[in-house]
């Protein structure tokens, strides 16, 4: 399966089981033989897939080196980027060479940012290996790192040259990370596709249809990103569930509650808020809660509502004294509603019960 993304840079996304062994051949249609390729990965993914990817790249005639950073979000920082720059400098990487991001969203965001900034920008290829990175972070060109003051505060828009998704890599993904990605998959159904939502709700075993599920999610993200590459409008819809979700992650000090789980709770809360205000069809929040439970995601947080609302204060969707809420009319139909910040607490009353 293949999609083309028409952003400032046009690129292909290929979804194919076992495609990891074909990454060299795929890159050979983009870069000439002898080009240097730096594979950036992490310490969990390297023992699983680095050898296969390196071999495929070498067999295709590329001059391959690799660097692996310690797996996990705490590595997503500028000091790790400096390490990647150091590796690139030692390998004499030039602007005609390229980076391969092999791993989850942390790897993709960092390898992408290193590529965006080294020599003021060199090409990069995404090979995402978590569900979250396959359906979300590898597409759309947002790259960056965290600061001690907050997540994703430094970064660049830098589109990849190619995205290769091998759904077979999900077989080694720990269940906790799979469930985390399902939070985003369910989100796509909520905001843009009743058909995807129903498929997820009615299927007993996702494994045989995983390629199709990934395709549908990526197609939704592709479409949104094509309309709003630099995140000034429609792209906000992708943040459904994130207003309260980010607040919950913050209250949990980014430990214990995963991003997908937090977004899931945030989606239920926002649907309840919408139902109460008359914006969202009655029963939507319960329908979302049912599907989240099916995919082993929580639907409720014990934090007092006032704490959750307070923790939205630094939300990126805040504009002066207002906040943009992403709401559903019904499953598959979403819209943005600007409300005064002062109205958020009364609107949200009762939505975490
Ligand atoms: P991650 O990259 O840390 O991967 C999660 C864990 O799974 C890591 O321990 C990793 O080593 C391991 N792993 C990866 N692939 C594996 C595999 N196939 N088998 C076994 N283990 C594997 O985290 P993530 O959940 O993929 O991504 C989260 C990051 O993505 C966050 O930093 C978030 O900010 C970012 N993000 C970016 C965007 C974007 O548009 N750029 C969108 C959403 C999220």
């Amino acid at each position: 399966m293949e999609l083309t993304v028409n952003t400032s840079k046009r690129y292909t996304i290929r979804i194919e089981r076992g495609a990891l062994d074909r990454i060299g051949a795929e890159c050979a249609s983009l870069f000439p033989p002898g080009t240097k390729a730096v594979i950036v990965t992490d310490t969990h993914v390297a023992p699983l897939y680095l050898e296969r990817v390196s071999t495929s790249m070498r067999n295709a005639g590329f001059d391959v080196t690799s660097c692996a950073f310690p797996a996990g979000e705490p590595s997503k920082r500028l000091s790790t980027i400096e390490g990647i720059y150091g590796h690139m400098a030692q390998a004499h990487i030039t602007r005609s060479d390229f980076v391969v991001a092999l791993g989850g969203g942390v790897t993709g965001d960092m390898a992408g940012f290193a590529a965006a900034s080294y020599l003021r920008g060199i090409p990069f290829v995404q090979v995402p290996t978590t569900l979250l990175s396959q359906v979300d972070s590898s597409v759309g060109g947002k790259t960056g790192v965290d600061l001690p003051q907050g997540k994703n505060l430094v970064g660049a828009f830098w589109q990849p040259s190619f995205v290769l998704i091998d759904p077979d890599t999900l077989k080694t993904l720990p269940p906790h990370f799979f469930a985390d990605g399902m939070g985003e998959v369910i989100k796509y159904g909520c905001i843009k596709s009743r058909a995807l939502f129903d498929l997820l709700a009615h299927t007993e075993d996702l494994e045989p249809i995983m390629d199709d599920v990934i395709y549908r999610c990526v197609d939704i993200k592709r479409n949104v990103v094509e309309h709003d590459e630099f995140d000034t409008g429609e792209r906000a819809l992708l943040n459904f569930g994130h207003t309260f979700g980010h607040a919950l992650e913050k209250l949990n000090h980014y430990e214990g509650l995963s991003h997908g789980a937090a977004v899931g709770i945030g989606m239920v809360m926002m649907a309840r808020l919408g139902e109460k205000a008359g914006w969202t069809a009655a029963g939507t929040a319960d329908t979302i809660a049912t599907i989240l439970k099916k995919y082993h995601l929580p639907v409720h947080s014990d934090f007092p509502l006032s704490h959750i609302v307070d923790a939205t204060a630094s939300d990126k969707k805040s504009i002066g004294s207002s906040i943009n809420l992403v709401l559903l009319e019904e499953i598959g139909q979403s819209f943005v509603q600007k409300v005064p910040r002062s109205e958020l607490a009364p609107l949200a009353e009762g939505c975490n019960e």
Side-chain angles (χ1 to χ4, degrees), residues 25 305 331:
L305 188 63
I331 302 292

Side-chain angles (χ1 to χ4, degrees), residues 42 44 73 76 104-106 109 129-130 136-137 142 152 169 172:
D42 73 25
H44 289 166
E73 187 74 27
K76 198 173 135 179
V106 167
D109 281 12
T129 59
T130 61
D136 189 355
S137 61
K142 282 190 180 176
N152 297 322
T169 57
T172 55

Side-chain angles (χ1 to χ4, degrees), residues 59-223:
N59 288 345
F62 295 112
D63 179 357
V64 181
T65 58
S66 64
C67 57
F69 59 85
E73 187 74 27
S75 283
K76 198 173 135 179
R77 56 201 292 175
L78 286 166
S79 57
T80 311
I81 296 288
E82 200 172 359
I84 298 171
Y85 291 152
H87 177 93
M88 289 173 166
Q90 272 189 339
H92 304 293
I93 295 300
T94 68
R95 276 202 192 129
S96 52
D97 298 319
F98 67 105
V99 171
V100 178
L102 172 68
V106 167
T107 301
D109 281 12
M110 277 206 298
F113 184 58
S117 47
Y118 192 72
L119 300 179
R120 298 193 179 84
I122 65 172
F124 88 116
V125 168
Q126 287 270 22
V127 186
T129 59
T130 61
L131 182 56
L132 182 137
S133 58
Q134 294 185 349
V135 298
D136 189 355
S137 61
S138 63
V139 177
K142 282 190 180 176
T143 70
V145 293
D146 304 332
L147 292 182
Q149 290 81 359
K151 280 190 69 177
N152 297 322
L153 288 181
V154 175
F157 286 98
W158 192 246
Q159 301 292 345
S161 301
F162 176 59
V163 182
L164 185 75
I165 299 175
D166 182 348
D168 277 351
T169 57
L170 300 179
K171 289 179 183 161
T172 55
L173 191 66
H176 158 79
F177 287 113
F178 188 85
D180 195 38
M182 282 308 295
E184 298 289 347
V185 171
I186 293 166
K187 178 201 75 182
Y188 283 116
C190 288
I191 60 167
K192 286 281 182 187
S193 173
R194 173 97 225 185
L196 171 61
F197 193 93
D198 288 344
L199 180 71
L200 299 171
H202 297 128
T203 196
E204 287 308 316
D205 182 10
L206 268 188
E207 210 285 327
I209 57 162
M210 211 53 216
D211 309 33
D212 180 40
V213 169
I214 294 169
Y215 179 93
R216 289 176 191 234
C217 295
V218 170
D219 195 32
I220 292 169
K221 178 135 190 198
R222 176 197 64 74
N223 203 278

